[in-house]
Amino acid sequence: MYKLIIGNIRITVSDDSISREQATAAARQSIAAAQGQGKVLSHIEITKGETGLDIIPTEKTGHRQSRKTIKQSMLDGMQVAIQEKLYPTGTFSNKDLWYDGDTGQEWTGNAVSDARDELVKAFESWASTIK
């Protein structure tokens, strides 16, 4: 018995007489068939049967709920970028300071935190309208 991994799919080969090349080819074929049906696999078990290789795929549970649309993925990326820009995590960054590199203006205090909070709320409100 040995194990392989293709992408994020675990493959268990229960018979040592099955070559790695055979197991890999059978697993890739199973993965392609599952993708053609819109399924996502988490595990494939390969055994030696009477007529050849027996392939037992296991579909990833709950994957449909955890999958995102392209728009949701982009919105999540925008949310991360906004958080990084508006709430810097650097050790030497001043959290109550905003500097505009174009004009050289600088703001401090509550005006900065109020503006940040307002912008984040506006983005979240807008993002919730995107389907």
Side-chain angles (χ1 to χ4, degrees):
M1 180 169 141
Y2 60 93
K3 297 182 184 238
L4 302 169
I5 295 178
I6 297 178
N8 59 353
I9 301 170
R10 294 172 296 133
I11 297 139
T12 303
V13 182
S14 62
D15 191 342
D16 288 335
S17 67
I18 302 170
S19 72
R20 293 190 186 278
E21 291 79 20
Q22 286 177 312
T24 302
R28 289 188 192 278
Q29 187 177 24
S30 179
I31 292 167
Q35 286 176 341
Q37 297 171 0
K39 296 179 180 179
V40 177
L41 300 180
S42 64
H43 183 257
I44 298 173
E45 185 176 346
I46 301 175
T47 59
K48 198 152 206 147
E50 294 176 13
T51 60
L53 298 180
D54 288 334
I55 301 165
I56 304 164
T58 303
E59 188 174 357
K60 187 180 263 186
T61 58
H63 75 281
R64 296 213 187 272
Q65 292 81 17
S66 65
R67 294 178 91 181
K68 296 180 184 179
T69 64
I70 182 104
K71 288 181 184 178
Q72 186 61 50
S73 178
M74 289 177 175
L75 285 171
D76 289 349
M78 292 169 67
Q79 179 72 34
V80 168
I82 287 170
Q83 291 294 326
E84 288 175 358
K85 182 68 176 172
L86 295 180
Y87 300 100
T89 58
T91 305
F92 300 108
S93 61
N94 186 348
K95 311 292 189 254
D96 295 332
L97 174 71
W98 184 264
Y99 177 77
D100 186 323
D102 294 335
T103 64
Q105 289 178 283
E106 190 174 291
W107 295 269
T108 60
N110 286 342
V112 174
S113 61
D114 292 345
R116 284 179 177 148
D117 293 343
E118 186 179 328
L119 287 172
V120 169
K121 285 179 186 174
F123 174 78
E124 289 172 351
S125 174
W126 171 78
S128 68
T129 66
I130 306 298
K131 299 289 180 195

